[in-house]
Amino acid sequence: MNQEELTEKITENLSSSDRFDNWDTLTPKDSDYMMYSPAPVGYNTTAEQRFLMQNLLIGWNYESILDVGCGRADLYGFIEDFYTESTFIYHGIDHNPIMTNIAKQKYDVKCLTNPFESAKLPETSWVVANGLFTQRRCETEDEDLQKLFEDIELLYNKATNVVSFNLLNPINNTHHEGFFYVHPGLVLDMLIEKYQNVVLRNNYSKDVYTVTIYKI
């Protein structure tokens, strides 16, 4: 993909389109709701979902990828659509069998159905987690924070090159019950101390930021 094509793809991804708008208007009564609506996988719009995926893949170069918390495997579909000349190895895992079954129907990809913490995960070049850490999972914030760093270590150990994930930003945002917000400064300090080669992107959304850890 040359620079002009890449610019066009990014512009399209940042803009509204009839294709995405149609998906966004689906309701639970529509037969395609579970297959295409952004709501069942936790997003307000399809454009929002695609924009977050785009930011997670900055620097990706057709390498093997493990999609943790893959849902319907929409990351696979995004890569095929955005990187039109791509040939890549994709692995997905999600704890919800409904979602992994839809992934098979939608993209003909077979994803693991297991909690990622206890599954035997394949080693890949990139490990990506889109929206995996948005929900509260423990009784206290300290326990949530400890679990976050335990899970990051687990993902780090399965990547040969890069781990990329996003988190909710607590700064100047409305906090919603049941969601996990982590200060980007705290995350950056702790991850740099442990992994050194860390990039945090807080320049594309007021709600979400992306963390990328490089192993090489």
Side-chain angles (χ1 to χ4, degrees):
M1 186 186 302
N2 60 39
Q3 187 65 39
E4 183 177 346
E5 290 172 331
L6 180 60
T7 301
E8 289 178 0
K9 282 285 186 181
I10 293 173
T11 301
E12 178 191 14
N13 210 42
L14 295 176
S15 305
S16 178
S17 75
D18 291 341
R19 175 169 51 137
F20 300 157
D21 290 346
N22 289 338
W23 292 346
D24 295 346
T25 59
L26 292 170
T27 71
K29 294 181 179 179
D30 294 312
S31 60
D32 289 339
Y33 176 75
M34 290 298 293
M35 185 80 71
Y36 294 106
S37 171
V41 287
Y43 300 95
N44 296 312
T45 66
T46 306
E48 175 193 35
Q49 181 190 15
R50 290 173 61 87
F51 186 44
L52 292 176
M53 290 189 288
Q54 177 184 316
N55 278 278
L56 284 169
L57 292 173
I58 291 174
W60 181 75
N61 190 30
Y62 309 111
E63 299 151 278
S64 61
I65 193 164
L66 170 62
D67 182 8
V68 182
C70 65
R72 302 178 302 212
D74 287 334
L75 182 69
Y76 176 88
F78 172 79
I79 291 173
E80 283 210 318
D81 181 50
F82 193 89
Y83 301 87
T84 52
E85 300 172 1
S86 62
T87 299
F88 62 101
I89 297 172
Y90 173 88
H91 300 278
I93 181 169
D94 198 277
H95 72 281
N96 189 338
I98 295 174
M99 289 298 164
T100 54
N101 286 337
I102 292 174
K104 178 64 177 175
Q105 297 173 43
K106 190 174 182 181
Y107 301 113
D108 196 27
V109 294
K110 185 176 180 180
C111 300
L112 292 173
T113 306
N114 278 109
F116 73 91
E117 299 96 331
S118 58
K120 186 175 181 180
L121 300 175
E123 186 176 88
T124 57
S125 180
W126 278 57
V127 176
V128 174
N130 189 27
L132 181 66
F133 304 122
T134 58
Q135 301 287 329
R136 290 286 307 272
R137 296 179 290 168
C138 302
E139 292 295 324
T140 68
E141 289 187 7
D142 285 345
E143 289 173 330
D144 271 320
L145 193 62
Q146 180 178 344
K147 177 153 179 56
L148 170 66
F149 288 110
E150 288 173 356
D151 290 343
I152 291 170
E153 175 71 5
L154 189 157
L155 303 187
Y156 182 85
N157 289 334
K158 289 301 177 182
T160 58
N161 291 353
V162 175
V163 178
S164 186
F165 56 92
N166 43 37
L167 295 166
L168 294 178
N169 195 337
I171 303 172
N172 299 323
N173 282 325
T174 302
H175 293 203
H176 299 281
E177 189 70 27
F179 288 86
F180 181 46
Y181 301 84
V182 196
H183 196 287
L186 172 64
V187 168
L188 187 60
D189 284 349
M190 293 185 73
L191 292 182
I192 286 177
E193 185 173 343
K194 184 165 187 177
Y195 302 112
Q196 287 80 56
N197 300 317
V198 182
V199 172
L200 189 149
R201 296 184 180 88
N202 192 45
N203 61 344
Y204 66 91
S205 168
K206 69 181 184 66
D207 302 312
V208 179
Y209 58 92
T210 296
V211 178
T212 308
I213 306 172
Y214 297 90
K215 298 187 76 169
I216 58 172

